[in-house]
Amino acid sequence: MVIGTFKCSFELEQALGELEHDGISRQKILIVQMDAAPKNTIEFLGGPRDLHANAIEVGMASATASAVIGTAVGFSLELGPILWGLIATFIGFNVGYWLYLFIKKGLHTKRDNDLPEVIVIVQTSREQSVRFIETMWKYGALTVGKASEVKKDAVANVDT
């Protein structure tokens, strides 16, 4: 068995494609996506979820300011202060919301460290294992290992 760990990426797909191209059937490949440690509620503060909450707050503040200006200007325009206040509110909210997201989005982009790890286990012969190890390294595996021969009795004990 050859075992490799990858970040969930396009290189992983390329490595799997090359393994299948080299004659390993899908039944001999096991792929396991690892879960990250669960986050507690304190760690959620300042995360990407709060990005939209903050954008809504900025949008509301911008909508309030725009409503005041729209209402004041609306006294001298044809549709009147109420309609111009509502129009300015809608425009102000959208400008504040989208401008905040546009400016702050770069701070919350997903980094490589945030990508989940994937473990690929390939059951292969000893002769082919060297080639598969090289394939995994070629496509950016984080770690690669080779399991020694597993006895069927040991596997049967694990299953029970």
Side-chain angles (χ1 to χ4, degrees):
M1 280 196 215
V2 177
I3 303 168
T5 58
F6 289 85
K7 288 288 183 184
C8 192
S9 64
F10 183 68
E11 286 80 14
L12 170 63
E13 296 294 328
Q14 288 179 316
L16 293 173
E18 190 165 321
L19 289 175
E20 288 182 14
H21 185 275
D22 288 343
I24 294 294
S25 68
R26 289 184 182 199
Q27 290 79 18
K28 302 241 180 201
I29 300 174
L30 176 65
I31 301 166
V32 180
Q33 183 171 346
M34 306 306 286
D35 292 330
K39 295 182 178 182
N40 61 26
T41 55
I42 295 172
E43 291 179 15
F44 281 123
L45 298 175
R49 183 173 175 208
D50 283 335
L51 179 68
H52 292 286
N54 291 341
I56 288 173
E57 288 181 20
V58 170
M60 290 293 198
S62 178
T64 303
S66 298
V68 170
I69 294 171
T71 303
V73 171
F75 280 106
S76 62
L77 296 176
E78 187 174 321
L79 295 177
I82 294 175
L83 287 178
W84 279 111
L86 291 173
I87 292 169
T89 300
F90 180 75
I91 292 171
F93 177 81
N94 281 306
V95 167
Y97 181 85
W98 292 110
L99 190 63
Y100 183 85
L101 281 183
F102 179 75
I103 291 171
K104 295 291 184 176
K105 193 68 168 178
L107 299 176
H108 295 285
T109 56
K110 213 172 203 189
R111 295 180 182 89
D112 254 1
N113 296 339
D114 296 338
L115 295 174
E117 287 188 6
V118 177
I119 296 178
V120 178
I121 302 172
V122 180
Q123 186 178 5
T124 182
S125 66
R126 287 182 188 249
E127 297 81 28
Q128 290 179 324
S129 65
V130 173
R131 192 169 81 209
F132 294 132
I133 290 172
E134 290 173 356
T135 300
M136 289 183 178
W137 283 124
K138 176 180 167 185
Y139 288 104
L142 299 174
T143 58
V144 176
K146 182 177 169 183
S148 60
E149 197 170 309
V150 177
K151 295 183 180 180
K152 291 185 180 183
D153 294 339
V155 174
N157 290 337
V158 171
D159 289 339
T160 57

